[in-house]
Amino acid sequence: MRLLVLGGTRFLGRAVAAEAVTRGHEVVCAARGLAGDVPPGARLVKVDRDAPDGLAPLAGERFDAVVDVAPISYDWVSRALEALADRVGHWSFVSSVSAYADFGVPPTGVGDPLLPPRAEHGSRDTLGDDPDRYGSIKVASENAVLRAAGADRSFVVRAGLITGPGDESDRFGHWPARLARGGRVVVPDTDLRTQYVDVRDLAAWIVDAGEKGTTGVYDGIGPSGALLDLLSDVAEAVGGDVEFVRVPEERLAELRVAPWGGPRSLPLWLPATHRYMTARDAGPALAAGLTPRALVDAVAGALDRERELGLDRERKAGLSRAEEEEVLAALGGSAGE
């Protein structure tokens, strides 16, 4: 198979390219080449997707399959489709569960209401001003893929929380790193369900889809389970000697602990308005070939990534040691080592 990865130098795009190379496919990665190197065995074609003619270096080339991991730009997606759709056999687009309109109600499947499409170019610097903008751009991009490539050639994956080698979010990885340290650990007292997908498993499924011609729209995520059960399993996987200090959600808010991500947060915990964001039905994706690895392997990959970045670095998500000490002190305890 001749595969084009629009991206290929970081996280999921690089994992897709690496998986395809391992299987013996010819892999071309189209990227600026600024975020990192392509995997050994892949070929980099430098492009600038911000420019109207930025994909000109690919003119005349044909591919059996394309994988587009464009994060936040409708322009990138639409230009790629205009330039390449008639010369490609299969088109995979990585969307997001953020495309759904209401996470305050239980999900029923990929037919759930979506956010209104917004054919815009976003950036990591501006998305914080409008929390729905990312999802709306993904909806517009999905629509463009289905129009240009057609339902008989399109594979749309609404990914959930992706973890593993190359993860840049600090969310899932916070927990293996923290639980491996041991001691008294602040956790939310909640019945919230959560789920994730390892980047290597998602990449393998996407390459499978290109090989087999899999089509359709799927939630690309692993099975959901109780958050506190997951944390217990992670603690066991890393061998952490921990005591969970379960704190009511209202009390966490009083102590200025934020949900999900960002400074002074507890990753994977969600506010009531989003409690079903991590309770999507993984059944259709599993039936279509997504194969999650054992938790112990996913945790090992996340912990390796944490150690690679530095366990005591300034994080994008989670409580620092000092912040957790402060919270525990307010609760009448102290953090253990």
Side-chain angles (χ1 to χ4, degrees), residues 4 28-33 38 43-47 57-58 61:
L4 172 65
V28 176
C29 297
R32 289 176 297 178
V38 299
R43 175 167 67 94
L44 174 65
V45 174
K46 291 191 175 183
V47 301
L58 296 172
E61 297 215 41

Side-chain angles (χ1 to χ4, degrees), residues 14 35 63 68-69 74 94 99-100 108 153 155 183 187 233 243 257 262-263 269 276 279 281 292 301 313 323 334 336:
R14 194 176 197 280
F63 300 93
D68 191 358
V69 296
Y74 173 81
V94 180
Y100 293 109
T108 63
R153 289 192 294 149
F155 181 63
V187 298
D233 291 342
E243 175 192 349
V257 178
W269 170 47
Y276 293 107
D281 179 11
R313 71 188 185 281
E323 289 167 343
S334 61

Side-chain angles (χ1 to χ4, degrees), residues 18-336:
E19 177 69 21
V21 168
T22 298
R23 299 188 191 188
H25 297 305
E26 179 187 352
V27 179
V28 176
C29 297
R32 289 176 297 178
L34 302 178
D37 298 326
V38 299
R43 175 167 67 94
L44 174 65
V45 174
K46 291 191 175 183
V47 301
D48 180 3
R49 298 185 73 178
D50 284 329
D53 62 348
L55 295 177
L58 296 172
E61 297 215 41
R62 292 184 176 273
F63 300 93
D64 299 301
V66 165
V67 176
D68 191 358
V69 296
I72 45 181
S73 174
Y74 173 81
D75 291 344
W76 285 15
V77 175
S78 60
R79 287 171 185 161
L81 289 161
E82 182 178 359
L84 299 164
D86 62 350
R87 293 183 277 119
V88 169
H90 184 270
W91 197 286
S92 293
F93 176 67
V94 180
S95 185
S96 170
V97 296
S98 295
Y100 293 109
D102 189 354
F103 294 114
V105 298
T108 63
V110 295
D112 288 345
L114 301 176
L115 291 167
R118 294 167 66 169
E120 300 176 357
H121 178 78
S123 74
R124 288 180 172 83
D125 296 330
T126 61
L127 288 176
D129 299 334
D130 181 352
D132 288 339
R133 191 178 184 198
Y134 173 73
S136 289
I137 292 173
K138 285 292 191 183
V139 173
S141 299
E142 287 184 17
N143 292 344
V145 170
L146 293 168
R147 281 195 308 268
D152 60 337
R153 289 192 294 149
S154 301
F155 181 63
V156 175
V157 178
R158 293 177 184 148
L161 178 64
I162 309 173
T163 186
D167 183 11
E168 300 174 349
S169 74
D170 286 349
R171 293 187 186 115
F172 185 93
H174 165 80
W175 290 110
R178 174 61 190 94
L179 297 172
R181 198 171 82 230
R184 304 183 74 233
V185 181
V186 172
V187 298
D189 189 5
T190 178
D191 62 355
L192 181 75
R193 299 185 70 80
T194 193
Q195 57 194 158
Y196 66 93
V197 63
D198 189 283
V199 66
R200 295 163 291 185
D201 302 331
L202 186 57
W205 186 42
I206 290 170
V207 176
D208 285 345
E211 292 175 341
K212 300 174 183 178
T214 305
T215 59
V217 179
Y218 297 88
D219 288 332
I221 194 66
S224 69
L227 171 58
L228 294 180
D229 287 347
L230 173 66
L231 297 184
S232 295
D233 291 342
V234 171
E236 182 177 354
V238 299
D241 181 11
V242 302
E243 175 192 349
F244 287 142
V245 180
R246 296 172 58 153
V247 184
E249 295 172 279
E250 298 81 2
R251 182 65 171 137
L252 287 172
E254 292 172 0
L255 294 170
R256 298 180 294 108
V257 178
W260 190 244
R264 197 180 173 89
S265 65
L266 285 181
L268 308 190
W269 170 47
L270 288 164
T273 55
H274 284 68
R275 68 173 289 112
Y276 293 107
M277 187 174 77
T278 50
R280 306 296 307 177
D281 179 11
L286 301 179
L290 175 61
T291 306
R293 68 191 54 227
L295 175 67
V296 65
D297 290 339
V299 168
L303 189 53
D304 285 346
R305 174 62 171 170
E306 288 292 313
R307 289 168 173 157
E308 175 190 347
L309 294 174
L311 294 175
D312 293 322
R313 71 188 185 281
E314 184 176 343
R315 302 181 54 86
K316 297 178 183 177
L319 293 174
S320 68
R321 291 195 191 207
E323 289 167 343
E324 190 172 34
E325 288 277 6
E326 179 186 326
V327 171
L328 286 168
L331 298 169
S334 61

